[in-house]
Amino acid sequence: MERQLTAPLRIEPLGPPTKISTKQTYTHLAQFVDHLAPSPARTQLERLADALGVEVGAIAASEGEAREKKREAERAAARAERRRTREAVRVAEAEAEAKADKDALEAAIEGEEAPEDEGEEMGENFGDGPTMDDRGDVEYGDVPEDDEDEPDNETQPMDED
């Protein structure tokens, strides 16, 4: 267990390494980034490519800044779209809940049982037993008078010998 495991992949050089220039690195990186799907990694690689492009003179510094502003605007637009979608879903859920409450109230007024209450009486919603809501309000003094299981509260005289 203490010995080092062998690597599953061995990279063996075919020849001496060649050093590529910064301009070649920028060219390869810019071409590679174009084929990536939109993701945080792509954004980071785009920033790296822009920095390399400015360094080698392939792009102007103002163009690099403009690209960064464009990325920020796209990110803000995507955030706003997600917010709108979440808000629309929240409003739709609230409307559905209000409609369900209205239907339940109308059913209760007509003397019918509300459809969502059927499962609660059968014990299907949260286990087989009654829920906390099924118990009524208990007030002080609501104790049954004729409880045969409980001993009497009155004291009985003890037989003295």
Side-chain angles (χ1 to χ4, degrees):
M1 291 246 181
E2 296 295 324
R3 67 181 175 90
Q4 184 176 359
L5 299 175
T6 58
L9 176 67
R10 289 192 174 179
I11 300 175
E12 297 179 11
L14 298 175
T18 57
K19 185 173 182 179
I20 61 173
S21 69
T22 308
K23 184 155 180 80
Q24 289 172 326
T25 304
Y26 165 72
T27 305
H28 290 305
L29 189 58
Q31 290 175 355
F32 176 71
V33 167
D34 290 337
H35 294 48
L36 291 177
S39 67
R42 177 186 173 140
T43 304
Q44 292 174 348
L45 288 174
E46 284 175 346
R47 289 179 178 145
L48 177 64
D50 289 348
L52 283 173
V54 169
E55 184 180 327
V56 298
I59 60 173
S62 60
E63 186 179 343
E65 292 171 4
R67 289 181 182 181
E68 182 61 30
K69 287 181 183 177
K70 180 183 173 191
R71 280 192 287 270
E72 183 63 35
E74 289 173 353
R75 206 164 54 239
R79 249 185 268 129
E81 180 63 29
R82 286 192 301 268
R83 278 191 197 115
R84 280 192 295 270
T85 303
R86 278 195 305 264
E87 184 65 22
V89 167
R90 189 188 63 76
V91 167
E93 287 175 352
E95 288 175 355
E97 185 177 333
K99 184 179 181 323
D101 290 345
K102 180 183 173 189
D103 292 344
L105 183 61
E106 289 174 357
I109 290 172
E110 293 175 2
E112 298 177 2
E113 185 176 303
E116 57 268 6
D117 292 339
E118 290 177 5
E120 290 180 13
E121 286 186 3
M122 301 295 275
E124 296 173 1
N125 288 349
F126 295 100
D128 293 329
T131 62
M132 292 295 289
D133 296 334
D134 292 341
R135 299 190 284 177
D137 292 335
V138 178
E139 296 181 11
Y140 184 75
D142 287 349
V143 181
E145 297 285 332
D146 300 330
D147 195 0
E148 297 175 4
D149 295 337
E150 296 292 325
D152 292 334
N153 290 335
E154 300 174 8
T155 58
Q156 297 179 358
M158 296 177 67
D159 293 335
E160 294 184 22
D161 289 325

